[in-house]
Amino acid sequence: MNKLIKQYCMELGFDAAGITTADGVDAEHIEYFKGWLDDGFAAKMSYLHRNIEKRFEPGQLLKGAKSVICVALNYRPAAEEIFDDTPIRIARFGQYEDYHPFIKDRFFQLAEFIKNETGDGIRFKACVDSAPIAERALAQRAGLGFVGRNHMLINPEMGSQFLLGELITTLELEPDEPFEQIPCGDCGRCVRACPTGALSFDGSFDARKCISYLTIEEPDDIPAEYNNKISNRIFGCDECILACPHELRGAARKNKDLKFHPEWQNLTPDQIQNMTEVEFQKIFVNSGFIRLGLDRLKRNCKSSRFSL
Ligand code: B12
Ligand code: SF4
Ligand code: SF4
């Protein structure tokens, strides 16, 4: 059954799939996560303080859960799709249509496929990003990669430009071997590449300083001290990913169904400042920008940042 499921995941356009049990995540992850919250590193992401038990216990999200099917969707653009020196910079994942419904749709197809193979009675819960679930920890346990000093789940063959999703199920499946940690050792490229000092050599990560947090999650004004460090990044940041030597081997995405809009980076800050709500909805339809909203997008395009 595992082989059939993984084959079907590839047919659905995922780039890797692994299976783990629905057992709770190791206590050290819970401790690490709680310590991270206590240190204030989660900034204003209050939702991370809620549902802590669910986050580490897939069985709390689906009664009777036995297994978790973890998938990775490669979003690395091909070399010819990458534009430099654009007026604004958008993190690569943000240049695509919203990946949440995209992965969920494929999970619904996967669930149908499994039901057809096993008979009715099996139940499922599809999780992509927004569910309270420790995605990187489960993906590591399902054999998809290890967590690097940059906090990304890294697969030595793919790098880390991939998105994660989990299909929790009541079906009992043979779990894969967890991915063994590859030590980062003396390498600290991600730490040095981070424009704001959000990452530290000791492995800590402070979301309050992270450009991805400041441009996507921060609800209020962005502290002016970050202006020149954020520069023309208006949605997310990729520096700690691109600096990682594990990125060198990764191939470009195979799945071209996830709509890609690198041309958004040719919008100028002035065009965004003058954009109406109707124009915003039309340009960014079905993308992560809709959740950000036009007001915060304009905030991210403050002229003070572009003149530095
Ligand atoms: C909150 C969040 C953010 C926050 C905080 C980021 C962070 N590092 O925590 C912000 C807004 C800053 C953010 C940014 C980004 N995010 Co984000 N984010 C999430 C979310 C919703 C929760 C992550 C979380 O629980 N953070 C809390 C910290 C403590 O968890 P963690 O760093 O993942 O560490 C866990 C383990 O790795 C482990 N661990 C880590 N270090 C150590 C050390 C020790 C000693 C131990 C024991 C354990 C341990 O313990 C933790 C608990 O299990 C997940 C989706 C999800 N539901 O999981 C996506 C997710 C992690 N994000 C994702 C992405 C793509 C990004 C960005 C690359 C987007 C961008 N280009 O701007 C950046 C990357 C920034 C970075 N270097 O992490 C992907 C990552 C895919 C991958 N290959 O790893 C996810 C999985 C979403 C998805 N479904 O694909 N994100
Ligand atoms: S996403 Fe950017 S700001 Fe955030 S930790 Fe990585 S390099 Fe630093
Ligand atoms: S850049 Fe170096 S230290 Fe950072 S995650 Fe990659 S291997 Fe680890």
Side-chain angles (χ1 to χ4, degrees):
M1 194 62 202
N2 285 36
K3 205 173 159 202
L4 274 181
I5 289 176
K6 288 183 186 177
Q7 262 170 7
Y8 194 67
C9 285
M10 300 306 126
E11 280 173 38
L12 287 171
F14 294 121
D15 296 276
I19 291 165
T20 184
T21 65
D23 295 345
V25 165
D26 288 352
E28 53 176 7
H29 282 274
I30 307 172
E31 243 167 72
Y32 180 84
F33 184 85
K34 286 183 174 165
W36 188 77
L37 293 178
D38 288 347
D39 286 337
F41 288 154
K44 296 176 194 164
M45 294 181 284
S46 51
Y47 68 91
L48 291 173
H49 291 263
R50 294 193 290 270
N51 295 313
I52 294 185
E53 272 64 45
K54 274 190 191 163
R55 187 169 291 276
F56 296 102
E57 197 71 60
Q60 297 238 7
L61 288 170
L62 178 74
K63 207 162 175 266
K66 291 277 183 338
S67 314
V68 184
I69 303 165
C70 298
V71 298
L73 178 68
N74 178 1
Y75 65 85
R76 180 197 307 270
E80 64 275 14
E81 295 175 317
I82 298 167
F83 303 124
D84 293 325
D85 298 328
T86 47
I88 55 170
R89 268 183 288 173
I90 299 171
R92 290 184 180 170
F93 86 106
Q95 298 174 36
Y96 289 88
E97 72 171 283
D98 189 355
Y99 64 92
H100 301 85
F102 184 90
I103 295 181
K104 275 197 176 162
D105 280 355
R106 278 144 190 84
F107 274 158
F108 297 144
Q109 294 177 53
L110 178 59
E112 277 309 307
F113 172 82
I114 296 173
K115 273 190 205 163
N116 285 339
E117 292 293 327
T118 57
D120 278 343
I122 304 292
R123 288 175 291 112
F124 301 90
K125 165 98 183 143
C127 304
V128 186
D129 187 47
S130 46
I133 184 166
E135 297 199 279
R136 285 166 170 155
L138 284 171
Q140 184 272 332
R141 208 174 68 187
L144 295 187
F146 67 98
V147 177
R149 188 169 277 135
N150 60 4
H151 281 236
M152 295 302 293
L153 189 85
I154 301 172
N155 179 296
E157 279 166 28
M158 274 203 286
S160 58
Q161 292 183 60
F162 55 82
L163 300 159
L164 295 172
E166 305 75 37
L167 187 66
I168 310 176
T169 174
T170 54
L171 179 67
E172 186 140 24
L173 293 162
E174 185 65 32
D176 285 311
E177 284 294 316
F179 204 101
E180 252 182 60
Q181 184 69 23
I182 298 181
C184 285
D186 287 343
C187 174
R189 289 185 199 197
C190 53
V191 178
R192 289 192 293 276
C194 176
T196 52
L199 293 168
S200 302
F201 204 80
D202 67 6
S204 64
F205 168 79
D206 187 346
R208 291 171 298 194
K209 297 180 179 173
C210 174
I211 294 170
S212 188
Y213 169 80
L214 292 167
T215 56
I216 300 175
E217 298 284 336
E218 171 60 50
D220 305 315
D221 285 346
I222 298 173
E225 64 191 277
Y226 294 112
N227 275 356
N228 63 342
K229 292 168 178 157
I230 295 177
S231 179
N232 66 343
R233 296 178 191 86
I234 63 135
F235 190 92
C237 169
D238 288 326
E239 302 304 329
C240 58
I241 298 175
L242 299 178
C244 181
H246 291 290
E247 280 302 305
L248 296 173
R249 277 189 295 274
R253 70 198 167 111
K254 287 196 302 284
N255 192 326
K256 299 281 170 91
D257 292 338
L258 188 69
K259 288 195 197 74
F260 187 46
H261 296 280
E263 76 284 358
W264 287 340
Q265 295 182 106
N266 288 323
L267 287 164
T268 64
D270 278 351
Q271 280 173 318
I272 291 176
Q273 289 299 355
N274 293 321
M275 200 175 271
T276 64
E277 186 63 36
V278 174
E279 288 164 341
F280 170 73
Q281 294 288 338
K282 197 170 160 202
I283 295 171
F284 294 110
V285 62
N286 296 337
S287 78
F289 282 85
I290 299 298
R291 259 199 312 279
L292 180 71
L294 181 56
D295 288 346
R296 286 198 297 157
L297 178 61
K298 287 186 179 179
R299 172 202 67 181
N300 293 354
C301 289
K302 243 185 178 162
S303 53
S304 51
R305 211 166 287 140
F306 289 85
S307 52
L308 290 162

